[in-house]
């Protein structure tokens, strides 16, 4: 929940902070701005790629040497995704990566309008991922993260036959830091879309047809979620590569195996304890798992990248990391937000133990107006299935955890 100090100035100050952040992000790999990357989204012609940004050296982007175009990945922002040659079938970014690429899966869902996500990692030869016991893993220079979003025709259906490719995002660890590249799919090809784009879509959820606008983020908006501040400036980092989001069984050659253990045996991961990762964040929809772990895992992957001390929403004081004590004030228990007016319900507290209906944490995930919506980008629809679980969790928290004066 993005916040500001004076209740009467809430929406204006929140929007000002957002604009300042986007302006500061620019289009480069670090705090140096790129004047050609404004981060503005084209809404006049939905779905039209806005290439902008750098003017790639065609020699590198069009090189035919080797399976993967490593030189271009490290140096150029190619106009089309296929020029990097990451996949055996350029129009199928959901499977069959070229070596040494491999897929990975998160245990808890990052929600983006019910889009199915296909994630891959490409590591330079001889390099490994460094294990971190409580936060994002360190990846070597040269690493590439690929995430493709495909919208289902029906939220109850899976598989490529029931999906429409929408976008593919790259995070590339170049010599001067991580850089983000968004690609929009059109007519079987993914085009670099520096300024972002809007596309209209329809899907069916529980028998109801939903028509909505899907927003492909601009390069600057990618950095809104991925940025972290430090004494050396603001830089971007991966979000989901955390031990508790990766510590679960996946299917490998028709056999179920722990994902982190598999990475270690494949010499992809170093530093994993012999006993393995201690914790796992189950899916929000896993009814057989611990309810608190389900709720905290979901809030971590969807909210904690901003709601941390180094994140964009640090000013809010709200901390939603998996290892933050969920009975504490900083996790939102009886905490009044610094920058939101309570909406039409006039709500006052981020979390009221025993009362999910009047908790801002839940309510703002139901709203869609730009000044109210949480997360601020990344969704146009509400994740009703997850919100039901989160309300059950908050309703089950003992009121004795805090001294909230009932609001709403």
């Amino acid at each position: 929940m993005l916040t500001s100090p004076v209740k009467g100035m809430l929406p204006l100050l929140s929007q000002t902070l957002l604009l300042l952040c986007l302006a500061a992000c620019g289009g480069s790999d670090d705090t140096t701005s790129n004047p050609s990357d404004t981060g503005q989204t084209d809404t006049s012609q939905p779905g039209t790629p806005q290439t902008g940004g750098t003017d790639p050296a065609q020699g590198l982007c069009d090189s035919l040497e080797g399976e993967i175009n490593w030189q271009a990945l490290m140096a150029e922002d190619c106009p089309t995704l296929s020029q990097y040659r990451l996949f055996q079938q350029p129009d199928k970014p959901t499977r069959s990566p070229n070596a040494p690429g491999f897929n990975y899966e998160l245990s808890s869902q990052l929600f983006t309008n019910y889009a199915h996500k296909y994630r891959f990692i490409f590591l330079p030869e001889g390099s490994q991922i460094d294990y971190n016991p409580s936060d994002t893993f360190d990846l070597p220079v040269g690493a590439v993260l690929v995430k493709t979003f495909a919208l289902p025709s029906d939220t109850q259906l899976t598989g490529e036959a029931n999906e429409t490719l929408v976008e593919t995002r790259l995070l590339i660890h170049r010599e001067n830091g991580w850089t983000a590249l968004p690609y929009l799919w059109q007519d079987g090809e993914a085009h670099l879309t520096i300024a972002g784009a809007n596309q209209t879509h329809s899907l069916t959820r529980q028998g109801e047809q939903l028509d909505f606008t899907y927003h492909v983020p601009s390069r600057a908006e990618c950095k809104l979620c991925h940025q972290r501040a430090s004494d050396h400036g603001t830089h971007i980092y991966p979000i989901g590569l955390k031990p508790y989001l990766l510590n679960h069984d996946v299917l490998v050659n028709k056999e179920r195996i722990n994902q982190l253990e598999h990475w270690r045996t494949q010499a992809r991961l170093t530093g994993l304890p012999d006993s393995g990762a201690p914790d796992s964040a189950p899916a929000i929809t896993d009814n057989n798992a611990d309810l608190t772990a389900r709720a905290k895992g979901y809030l971590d992957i969807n909210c904690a990248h901003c709601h941390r001390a180094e994140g964009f929403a640090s000013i809010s004081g709200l901390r939603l990391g998996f290892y933050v004590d969920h009975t504490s004030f900083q996790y939102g228990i009886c905490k009044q937000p610094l920058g939101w007016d309570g909406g039409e319900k006039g709500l006052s507290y981020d979390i009221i133990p025993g009362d999910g209906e009047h908790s801002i944490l839940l309510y703002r995930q139901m709203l869609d107006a730009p000044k109210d919506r949480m997360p601020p980008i990344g969704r146009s629809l509400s994740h009703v299935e997850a919100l039901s679980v989160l309300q059950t969790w908050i309703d089950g928290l003992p009121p004795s955890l805090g001294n909230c004066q009932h609001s709403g």
Side-chain angles (χ1 to χ4, degrees):
M1 285 94 244
L2 190 57
T3 56
S4 70
V6 183
K7 204 165 188 178
M9 300 174 62
L10 308 174
L12 176 61
L13 185 51
S14 293
Q15 293 178 55
T16 301
L17 286 171
L18 178 60
L19 291 173
L20 287 174
C21 173
L22 293 179
C25 285
S28 64
D29 303 313
D30 50 31
T31 53
T32 304
S33 64
N34 182 341
S36 66
D37 181 8
T38 64
Q40 296 177 347
T41 301
D42 174 46
T43 56
S44 60
Q45 297 184 29
T48 301
Q50 304 295 309
T51 52
T54 60
D55 181 15
Q58 292 300 309
L60 286 181
C61 288
D62 292 339
S63 170
L64 300 178
E65 297 180 5
E67 286 188 333
I68 293 179
N69 194 347
W70 288 105
Q71 285 187 306
L73 282 165
M74 293 303 106
E76 303 294 346
D77 302 345
C78 291
T80 63
L81 180 65
S82 60
Q83 289 173 301
Y84 292 128
R85 301 193 301 277
L86 295 167
F87 296 92
Q88 294 178 24
Q89 295 177 269
D91 62 342
K92 300 291 184 184
T94 60
R95 49 187 164 92
S96 303
N98 281 322
F102 58 95
N103 73 302
Y104 70 101
E105 301 173 18
L106 301 185
S107 57
S108 191
Q109 180 181 8
L110 174 62
F111 180 73
T112 312
N113 298 318
Y114 294 97
H116 298 151
K117 299 180 177 69
Y118 299 86
R119 297 176 170 90
F120 298 88
I121 298 176
F122 295 80
L123 295 175
E125 183 177 357
S127 66
Q128 291 182 294
I129 301 169
D130 289 331
Y131 176 81
N132 185 317
S134 61
D135 208 337
T136 307
F137 294 169
D138 290 326
L139 282 83
V141 171
V144 180
L145 300 179
V146 181
K147 181 166 61 174
T148 292
F149 297 68
L151 281 173
S153 58
D154 189 309
T155 60
Q156 305 301 312
L157 301 176
T158 59
E160 293 180 4
N162 302 298
E163 296 176 346
T164 300
L165 289 178
V166 181
E167 59 168 320
T168 295
R169 302 177 191 174
L170 302 189
L171 271 182
I172 306 173
H173 198 179
R174 292 173 174 168
E175 288 288 348
N176 58 345
W178 287 93
T179 192
L181 297 178
Y183 286 84
L184 174 68
W185 282 93
Q186 287 185 318
D187 300 323
E189 180 65 278
H191 301 269
L192 183 61
T193 311
I194 292 294
N198 290 328
Q199 285 193 329
T200 56
H201 283 277
S202 296
L203 58 77
T204 300
R205 179 183 66 191
Q206 300 177 10
E208 177 188 8
Q209 179 175 313
L210 302 175
D211 301 318
F212 63 99
T213 298
Y214 184 100
H215 178 60
V216 177
S218 69
R219 192 178 193 182
E221 286 174 318
C222 290
K223 297 182 180 184
L224 174 63
C225 291
H226 286 272
Q227 72 174 9
R228 292 188 196 175
S230 70
D231 293 338
H232 306 290
T234 299
H235 306 275
I236 67 171
Y237 296 88
I239 290 175
L241 291 173
K242 300 175 182 178
Y244 43 85
L245 295 172
L246 297 164
N247 183 27
H248 59 104
D249 288 349
V250 295
L251 190 63
V252 178
N253 296 326
K254 299 181 180 181
E255 179 183 357
R256 302 296 297 183
I257 185 172
N258 180 273
Q259 184 166 227
L260 294 179
E261 291 290 349
H262 177 62
W263 287 8
R264 173 161 56 183
T265 61
Q266 297 295 309
R268 297 167 179 166
L269 177 67
T270 183
L272 179 69
D274 291 339
S275 57
D279 299 305
S280 181
I284 188 75
T285 53
D286 184 356
N287 294 325
N288 295 319
D290 177 75
L291 179 59
T292 295
R294 293 159 61 192
K296 295 190 70 175
Y298 183 85
L299 293 173
D300 182 283
I301 187 59
N302 284 278
C303 310
H305 43 274
C306 284
H307 286 282
R308 57 183 294 157
E310 313 89 344
F312 173 62
S314 61
I315 190 175
S316 71
L318 184 63
R319 304 290 182 257
L320 295 173
F322 188 71
Y323 287 119
V324 177
D325 180 4
H326 66 278
T327 67
S328 66
F329 177 80
Q330 67 174 339
Y331 205 84
I333 300 296
C334 294
K335 177 185 174 301
Q336 292 183 301
L338 299 175
W340 194 59
D341 59 7
E344 293 183 357
K345 290 185 175 183
L347 304 187
S348 300
Y349 301 100
D350 288 330
I351 296 179
I352 301 177
D355 189 356
E357 181 182 354
H358 294 96
S359 295
I360 292 173
L361 180 74
L362 192 68
Y363 183 48
R364 294 192 71 179
Q365 294 181 67
M366 301 176 183
L367 303 177
D368 192 44
K371 72 179 184 66
D372 299 323
R373 178 177 57 229
M374 281 292 157
I377 60 175
R379 71 165 185 87
S380 301
L381 304 176
S382 295
H383 193 186
V384 295
E385 297 83 358
L387 294 180
S388 176
V389 176
L390 290 175
Q391 178 160 356
T392 299
W393 174 65
I394 296 175
D395 287 345
L397 294 174
S400 59
L401 285 179
N403 183 24
C404 303
Q405 294 181 352
H406 186 73
S407 64

